[in-house]
Amino acid sequence: MNVDEMKDVREFRAGAPKPDRARLAEGRDRLSSAAGRGRGRRLRADWRLAAVGAAAALTAVAVLASGLGGGGHSGAERTVPAATVPGSVKELLERAASTVERADSPPTPHAGQWIYEKKLSASPGIWPKSKAAQPEPEPQEHWKRYADPRFENGKEGDDRSMRERLRFLDELPDDPAAVLKKVRAYYPSGKGSPESEGEHDMGALSVLFKSQPIPPQALAKLYRALAAVPGVEVTDHLVRDLAGRDALAVGHDEKGQKVRREILIDPHTYQYLGDRQIVVKDYKHTYPGADDTPDRPWKAGDLMFQNAVLATGVVDHKGDRP
């Protein structure tokens, strides 16, 4: 990795808490996606480096699909729908769980197949900002092996193949507290991690929500476990995701927290739409050891990392589309 790439990685984490194992595999998704778009060799990043819904996900059939909307990716959140969200977070997520668990389970992929995903992603960008306008994010397509031996049986640290993740989900208990206990063990915090239990739970669950094709019964258990996370709450109005879709935002808040991680859910089907991180408290992010990089100010309401899943499916070959 050259100096410019290292700077990209450092800037990419602007404003995020200090990394440890509990920052999870989303860093893997971002960095491996960048590598897949022509950076040459594959970027290796474990947790220390980088801070689907209920419909039947039939083989080679997309689970999620949506037209793109006008959601921006920088600055404060833009116009949101006026609709209010009734009920408590526990009532909402129980309603979501009860809805999705009635769907039939999708066929299990087999070794040799690929998991296809089309999504929008946005990050804060390089700091200090250049004078040139930052382009709007464009949809990106990704293919991952369902059964990848490089990420199984303890290889590559805490990163796991989709096969291992789906096996883990199939074995989740019914009790939400027991689910959270297993999730914490599956994605443990690093030694001396500064994050709270609630922050860690949100990070771990955000990775598992990205599993594909997720069985409806497992998704229902994740929703009920999400409702049991300490400090979890639902935004009292609908928001718009990066693709411009209406969404329920379920996030974690506690005293002293600067950034809120949110799981975004379709308000009608209760399908998982994506996730995002939003600043909840004004602060400045510093760059120790980088004397040439000024502090980066953040304002409450600024959107940081955003991901919007547009389509997923299981295909037989890399490059195939559902």
Side-chain angles (χ1 to χ4, degrees):
M1 184 180 295
N2 60 36
V3 173
D4 289 337
E5 287 174 322
M6 287 296 293
K7 189 172 186 293
D8 287 347
V9 171
R10 187 179 72 241
E11 304 299 345
F12 188 70
R13 279 192 39 80
K18 291 183 179 181
D20 58 28
R21 298 179 72 190
R23 288 296 125 192
L24 309 174
E26 63 184 357
R28 158 73 62 192
D29 293 339
R30 291 173 182 149
L31 292 175
S32 62
S33 295
R37 293 196 296 272
R39 291 210 177 193
R41 68 183 181 88
R42 177 173 161 273
L43 299 179
R44 184 186 185 280
D46 65 6
W47 298 7
R48 287 161 291 278
L49 176 61
V52 193
L58 300 176
T59 299
V61 176
V63 175
L64 299 174
S66 171
L68 301 184
H73 65 284
S74 61
E77 182 176 5
R78 300 186 181 182
T79 304
V80 298
T84 58
V85 176
S88 68
V89 66
K90 292 186 182 298
E91 292 170 335
L92 167 70
L93 291 173
E94 179 55 40
R95 192 159 60 244
S98 298
T99 299
V100 301
E101 68 184 351
R102 293 196 294 266
D104 294 332
S105 294
T108 301
H110 59 73
Q113 289 188 306
W114 295 74
I115 305 299
Y116 167 86
E117 181 182 56
K118 182 179 182 180
K119 69 178 182 179
L120 282 173
S121 295
S123 65
I126 299 299
W127 181 260
K129 294 180 179 179
S130 65
K131 294 182 179 179
Q134 187 173 353
E136 292 291 314
E138 296 184 356
Q140 300 290 335
E141 296 178 298
H142 311 282
W143 287 264
K144 295 181 181 179
R145 290 183 183 274
Y146 164 68
D148 192 333
R150 296 174 300 173
F151 303 105
E152 296 187 342
N153 300 319
K155 298 177 181 177
E156 289 287 340
D158 301 305
D159 299 311
R160 305 178 192 275
S161 73
M162 197 62 69
R163 177 167 64 179
E164 285 196 339
R165 282 161 59 174
L166 291 181
R167 286 174 176 172
F168 172 78
L169 290 172
D170 281 338
E171 297 172 355
L172 288 179
D174 293 327
D175 178 60
V179 170
L180 288 179
K181 184 177 180 179
K182 287 182 69 70
V183 169
R184 291 165 191 153
Y186 197 63
Y187 288 123
S189 292
K191 184 178 181 180
S193 172
E195 65 183 1
S196 68
E197 187 172 75
E199 287 178 302
H200 179 75
D201 290 345
M202 287 297 296
L205 290 173
S206 72
V207 173
L208 291 172
F209 274 114
K210 296 179 176 70
S211 304
Q212 305 158 17
I214 187 168
Q217 293 76 16
L219 180 60
K221 292 177 181 179
L222 291 182
Y223 281 148
R224 292 185 174 113
L226 180 59
V229 171
V232 73
E233 61 179 34
V234 60
T235 301
D236 63 3
H237 60 269
L238 295 180
V239 304
R240 286 208 172 103
D241 73 354
L242 189 60
R245 301 171 297 191
D246 291 356
L248 298 161
V250 178
H252 164 269
D253 276 305
E254 64 181 56
K255 185 177 180 180
Q257 187 170 300
K258 297 176 182 177
V259 180
R260 167 185 167 107
R261 184 192 295 272
E262 296 179 337
I263 302 297
L264 303 181
I265 302 169
D266 187 287
H268 307 294
T269 65
Y270 299 109
Q271 293 181 4
Y272 168 77
L273 294 180
D275 65 345
R276 67 181 190 176
Q277 295 181 39
I278 184 169
V279 178
V280 295
K281 179 182 180 181
D282 293 357
Y283 76 103
K284 288 185 178 181
H285 181 81
T286 60
Y287 301 89
D291 296 335
D292 59 336
T293 304
D295 294 350
R296 181 172 193 150
W298 290 100
K299 296 291 186 182
D302 285 350
L303 288 169
M304 300 180 80
F305 303 114
Q306 301 179 76
N307 294 289
V309 180
L310 305 178
T312 67
V314 180
V315 296
D316 291 331
H317 305 95
K318 184 178 182 180
D320 288 351
R321 294 178 177 83

mmCIF file of all heavy atoms in Angstrom, residues 217-243:
data_model
loop_
_atom_site.group_PDB
_atom_site.id
_atom_site.type_symbol
_atom_site.label_atom_id
_atom_site.label_comp_id
_atom_site.label_asym_id
_atom_site.label_seq_id
_atom_site.Cartn_x
_atom_site.Cartn_y
_atom_site.Cartn_z
ATOM 1 N N GLN A 217 -36.332 -16.305 9.201
ATOM 2 C CA GLN A 217 -36.367 -16.585 10.635
ATOM 3 C C GLN A 217 -35.147 -15.971 11.333
ATOM 4 O O GLN A 217 -35.248 -15.476 12.461
ATOM 5 C CB GLN A 217 -36.429 -18.092 10.877
ATOM 6 C CG GLN A 217 -37.718 -18.746 10.430
ATOM 7 C CD GLN A 217 -37.805 -18.935 8.922
ATOM 8 O OE1 GLN A 217 -36.779 -18.855 8.216
ATOM 9 N NE2 GLN A 217 -39.008 -19.212 8.416
ATOM 10 N N ALA A 218 -34.004 -16.000 10.657
ATOM 11 C CA ALA A 218 -32.801 -15.395 11.235
ATOM 12 C C ALA A 218 -32.930 -13.875 11.273
ATOM 13 O O ALA A 218 -32.521 -13.230 12.247
ATOM 14 C CB ALA A 218 -31.575 -15.799 10.426
ATOM 15 N N LEU A 219 -33.510 -13.294 10.228
ATOM 16 C CA LEU A 219 -33.713 -11.848 10.211
ATOM 17 C C LEU A 219 -34.628 -11.429 11.356
ATOM 18 O O LEU A 219 -34.394 -10.410 12.022
ATOM 19 C CB LEU A 219 -34.302 -11.417 8.872
ATOM 20 C CG LEU A 219 -34.569 -9.922 8.691
ATOM 21 C CD1 LEU A 219 -33.282 -9.114 8.827
ATOM 22 C CD2 LEU A 219 -35.232 -9.647 7.348
ATOM 23 N N ALA A 220 -35.672 -12.211 11.603
ATOM 24 C CA ALA A 220 -36.586 -11.907 12.707
ATOM 25 C C ALA A 220 -35.843 -11.937 14.042
ATOM 26 O O ALA A 220 -36.056 -11.077 14.912
ATOM 27 C CB ALA A 220 -37.744 -12.898 12.715
ATOM 28 N N LYS A 221 -34.952 -12.894 14.223
ATOM 29 C CA LYS A 221 -34.181 -12.971 15.468
ATOM 30 C C LYS A 221 -33.243 -11.781 15.611
ATOM 31 O O LYS A 221 -33.030 -11.271 16.720
ATOM 32 C CB LYS A 221 -33.399 -14.286 15.510
ATOM 33 C CG LYS A 221 -34.292 -15.519 15.651
ATOM 34 C CD LYS A 221 -33.478 -16.796 15.613
ATOM 35 C CE LYS A 221 -34.378 -18.025 15.732
ATOM 36 N NZ LYS A 221 -33.598 -19.300 15.682
ATOM 37 N N LEU A 222 -32.675 -11.312 14.483
ATOM 38 C CA LEU A 222 -31.805 -10.143 14.542
ATOM 39 C C LEU A 222 -32.603 -8.896 14.916
ATOM 40 O O LEU A 222 -32.117 -8.049 15.681
ATOM 41 C CB LEU A 222 -31.093 -9.944 13.204
ATOM 42 C CG LEU A 222 -30.035 -10.979 12.825
ATOM 43 C CD1 LEU A 222 -29.391 -10.605 11.493
ATOM 44 C CD2 LEU A 222 -28.972 -11.133 13.903
ATOM 45 N N TYR A 223 -33.819 -8.771 14.394
ATOM 46 C CA TYR A 223 -34.647 -7.620 14.759
ATOM 47 C C TYR A 223 -34.973 -7.629 16.254
ATOM 48 O O TYR A 223 -34.932 -6.591 16.918
ATOM 49 C CB TYR A 223 -35.936 -7.613 13.945
ATOM 50 C CG TYR A 223 -35.779 -7.086 12.524
ATOM 51 C CD1 TYR A 223 -36.562 -7.578 11.483
ATOM 52 C CD2 TYR A 223 -34.861 -6.080 12.233
ATOM 53 C CE1 TYR A 223 -36.427 -7.092 10.189
ATOM 54 C CE2 TYR A 223 -34.719 -5.598 10.942
ATOM 55 C CZ TYR A 223 -35.505 -6.102 9.921
ATOM 56 O OH TYR A 223 -35.369 -5.616 8.641
ATOM 57 N N ARG A 224 -35.313 -8.800 16.779
ATOM 58 C CA ARG A 224 -35.643 -8.870 18.209
ATOM 59 C C ARG A 224 -34.401 -8.619 19.061
ATOM 60 O O ARG A 224 -34.485 -8.020 20.134
ATOM 61 C CB ARG A 224 -36.278 -10.223 18.519
ATOM 62 C CG ARG A 224 -37.667 -10.390 17.876
ATOM 63 C CD ARG A 224 -38.345 -11.682 18.277
ATOM 64 N NE ARG A 224 -39.715 -11.716 17.754
ATOM 65 C CZ ARG A 224 -40.134 -12.555 16.810
ATOM 66 N NH1 ARG A 224 -39.302 -13.441 16.285
ATOM 67 N NH2 ARG A 224 -41.396 -12.509 16.383
ATOM 68 N N ALA A 225 -33.252 -9.080 18.589
ATOM 69 C CA ALA A 225 -32.007 -8.811 19.310
ATOM 70 C C ALA A 225 -31.668 -7.320 19.243
ATOM 71 O O ALA A 225 -31.198 -6.731 20.227
ATOM 72 C CB ALA A 225 -30.869 -9.637 18.719
ATOM 73 N N LEU A 226 -31.918 -6.696 18.105
ATOM 74 C CA LEU A 226 -31.668 -5.261 17.962
ATOM 75 C C LEU A 226 -32.493 -4.473 18.975
ATOM 76 O O LEU A 226 -32.014 -3.493 19.559
ATOM 77 C CB LEU A 226 -32.011 -4.833 16.535
ATOM 78 C CG LEU A 226 -31.828 -3.354 16.166
ATOM 79 C CD1 LEU A 226 -30.382 -2.921 16.368
ATOM 80 C CD2 LEU A 226 -32.257 -3.112 14.715
ATOM 81 N N ALA A 227 -33.728 -4.913 19.196
ATOM 82 C CA ALA A 227 -34.592 -4.239 20.166
ATOM 83 C C ALA A 227 -34.056 -4.369 21.585
ATOM 84 O O ALA A 227 -34.409 -3.569 22.468
ATOM 85 C CB ALA A 227 -36.011 -4.807 20.094
ATOM 86 N N ALA A 228 -33.212 -5.370 21.848
ATOM 87 C CA ALA A 228 -32.670 -5.601 23.188
ATOM 88 C C ALA A 228 -31.324 -4.922 23.421
ATOM 89 O O ALA A 228 -30.770 -5.008 24.521
ATOM 90 C CB ALA A 228 -32.527 -7.114 23.426
ATOM 91 N N VAL A 229 -30.788 -4.238 22.410
ATOM 92 C CA VAL A 229 -29.501 -3.553 22.558
ATOM 93 C C VAL A 229 -29.653 -2.390 23.540
ATOM 94 O O VAL A 229 -30.581 -1.587 23.419
ATOM 95 C CB VAL A 229 -29.009 -3.025 21.196
ATOM 96 C CG1 VAL A 229 -27.778 -2.132 21.379
ATOM 97 C CG2 VAL A 229 -28.679 -4.187 20.264
ATOM 98 N N PRO A 230 -28.774 -2.269 24.522
ATOM 99 C CA PRO A 230 -28.862 -1.149 25.474
ATOM 100 C C PRO A 230 -28.781 0.192 24.756
ATOM 101 O O PRO A 230 -27.860 0.428 23.975
ATOM 102 C CB PRO A 230 -27.642 -1.361 26.379
ATOM 103 C CG PRO A 230 -27.310 -2.815 26.254
ATOM 104 C CD PRO A 230 -27.653 -3.185 24.843
ATOM 105 N N GLY A 231 -29.771 1.063 24.994
ATOM 106 C CA GLY A 231 -29.755 2.394 24.399
ATOM 107 C C GLY A 231 -30.335 2.495 23.005
ATOM 108 O O GLY A 231 -30.287 3.564 22.393
ATOM 109 N N VAL A 232 -30.912 1.411 22.479
ATOM 110 C CA VAL A 232 -31.457 1.458 21.122
ATOM 111 C C VAL A 232 -32.757 2.258 21.100
ATOM 112 O O VAL A 232 -33.526 2.256 22.061
ATOM 113 C CB VAL A 232 -31.700 0.034 20.572
ATOM 114 C CG1 VAL A 232 -32.899 -0.631 21.235
ATOM 115 C CG2 VAL A 232 -31.892 0.059 19.052
ATOM 116 N N GLU A 233 -32.982 2.996 20.015
ATOM 117 C CA GLU A 233 -34.212 3.751 19.854
ATOM 118 C C GLU A 233 -34.492 3.944 18.365
ATOM 119 O O GLU A 233 -33.605 3.769 17.525
ATOM 120 C CB GLU A 233 -34.130 5.104 20.557
ATOM 121 C CG GLU A 233 -33.047 6.020 20.034
ATOM 122 C CD GLU A 233 -33.013 7.366 20.754
ATOM 123 O OE1 GLU A 233 -33.297 7.395 21.967
ATOM 124 O OE2 GLU A 233 -32.682 8.374 20.102
ATOM 125 N N VAL A 234 -35.725 4.298 18.049
ATOM 126 C CA VAL A 234 -36.119 4.542 16.664
ATOM 127 C C VAL A 234 -36.372 6.028 16.478
ATOM 128 O O VAL A 234 -36.953 6.685 17.343
ATOM 129 C CB VAL A 234 -37.365 3.714 16.283
ATOM 130 C CG1 VAL A 234 -38.559 4.059 17.161
ATOM 131 C CG2 VAL A 234 -37.708 3.895 14.798
ATOM 132 N N THR A 235 -35.913 6.578 15.373
ATOM 133 C CA THR A 235 -36.200 7.971 15.044
ATOM 134 C C THR A 235 -37.705 8.134 14.856
ATOM 135 O O THR A 235 -38.347 7.286 14.233
ATOM 136 C CB THR A 235 -35.450 8.378 13.761
ATOM 137 O OG1 THR A 235 -34.045 8.199 13.969
ATOM 138 C CG2 THR A 235 -35.723 9.822 13.397
ATOM 139 N N ASP A 236 -38.262 9.212 15.400
ATOM 140 C CA ASP A 236 -39.721 9.344 15.426
ATOM 141 C C ASP A 236 -40.340 9.769 14.103
ATOM 142 O O ASP A 236 -41.535 9.998 14.005
ATOM 143 C CB ASP A 236 -40.151 10.307 16.539
ATOM 144 C CG ASP A 236 -39.624 11.724 16.317
ATOM 145 O OD1 ASP A 236 -38.977 11.980 15.280
ATOM 146 O OD2 ASP A 236 -39.856 12.575 17.195
ATOM 147 N N HIS A 237 -39.515 9.875 13.052
ATOM 148 C CA HIS A 237 -40.034 10.163 11.718
ATOM 149 C C HIS A 237 -39.241 9.349 10.701
ATOM 150 O O HIS A 237 -38.138 8.875 10.984
ATOM 151 C CB HIS A 237 -39.913 11.657 11.398
ATOM 152 C CG HIS A 237 -38.492 12.158 11.436
ATOM 153 N ND1 HIS A 237 -37.931 12.682 12.579
ATOM 154 C CD2 HIS A 237 -37.521 12.196 10.496
ATOM 155 C CE1 HIS A 237 -36.680 13.021 12.337
ATOM 156 N NE2 HIS A 237 -36.396 12.733 11.076
ATOM 157 N N LEU A 238 -39.819 9.163 9.541
ATOM 158 C CA LEU A 238 -39.103 8.469 8.487
ATOM 159 C C LEU A 238 -37.939 9.329 7.999
ATOM 160 O O LEU A 238 -38.012 10.557 8.007
ATOM 161 C CB LEU A 238 -40.030 8.157 7.311
ATOM 162 C CG LEU A 238 -41.185 7.188 7.570
ATOM 163 C CD1 LEU A 238 -42.001 7.000 6.296
ATOM 164 C CD2 LEU A 238 -40.681 5.842 8.078
ATOM 165 N N VAL A 239 -36.865 8.674 7.579
ATOM 166 C CA VAL A 239 -35.719 9.358 6.987
ATOM 167 C C VAL A 239 -35.618 8.910 5.533
ATOM 168 O O VAL A 239 -36.383 8.054 5.088
ATOM 169 C CB VAL A 239 -34.421 9.041 7.756
ATOM 170 C CG1 VAL A 239 -34.564 9.402 9.224
ATOM 171 C CG2 VAL A 239 -34.039 7.563 7.602
ATOM 172 N N ARG A 240 -34.681 9.472 4.813
ATOM 173 C CA ARG A 240 -34.416 9.009 3.458
ATOM 174 C C ARG A 240 -33.009 8.443 3.402
ATOM 175 O O ARG A 240 -32.053 9.050 3.893
ATOM 176 C CB ARG A 240 -34.589 10.137 2.436
ATOM 177 C CG ARG A 240 -36.049 10.488 2.187
ATOM 178 C CD ARG A 240 -36.275 11.045 0.791
ATOM 179 N NE ARG A 240 -37.714 11.187 0.565
ATOM 180 C CZ ARG A 240 -38.372 12.334 0.613
ATOM 181 N NH1 ARG A 240 -37.725 13.444 0.908
ATOM 182 N NH2 ARG A 240 -39.667 12.374 0.374
ATOM 183 N N ASP A 241 -32.884 7.286 2.790
ATOM 184 C CA ASP A 241 -31.564 6.682 2.683
ATOM 185 C C ASP A 241 -30.813 7.285 1.500
ATOM 186 O O ASP A 241 -31.301 8.196 0.827
ATOM 187 C CB ASP A 241 -31.670 5.162 2.604
ATOM 188 C CG ASP A 241 -32.184 4.651 1.268
ATOM 189 O OD1 ASP A 241 -32.577 5.474 0.406
ATOM 190 O OD2 ASP A 241 -32.194 3.411 1.074
ATOM 191 N N LEU A 242 -29.622 6.777 1.245
ATOM 192 C CA LEU A 242 -28.765 7.323 0.197
ATOM 193 C C LEU A 242 -29.399 7.205 -1.182
ATOM 194 O O LEU A 242 -29.093 7.978 -2.082
ATOM 195 C CB LEU A 242 -27.411 6.606 0.231
ATOM 196 C CG LEU A 242 -26.285 7.169 -0.645
ATOM 197 C CD1 LEU A 242 -25.967 8.610 -0.256
ATOM 198 C CD2 LEU A 242 -25.047 6.292 -0.536
ATOM 199 N N ALA A 243 -30.303 6.236 -1.348
ATOM 200 C CA ALA A 243 -30.991 6.042 -2.628
ATOM 201 C C ALA A 243 -32.282 6.839 -2.706
ATOM 202 O O ALA A 243 -33.023 6.717 -3.677
ATOM 203 C CB ALA A 243 -31.285 4.552 -2.842
#
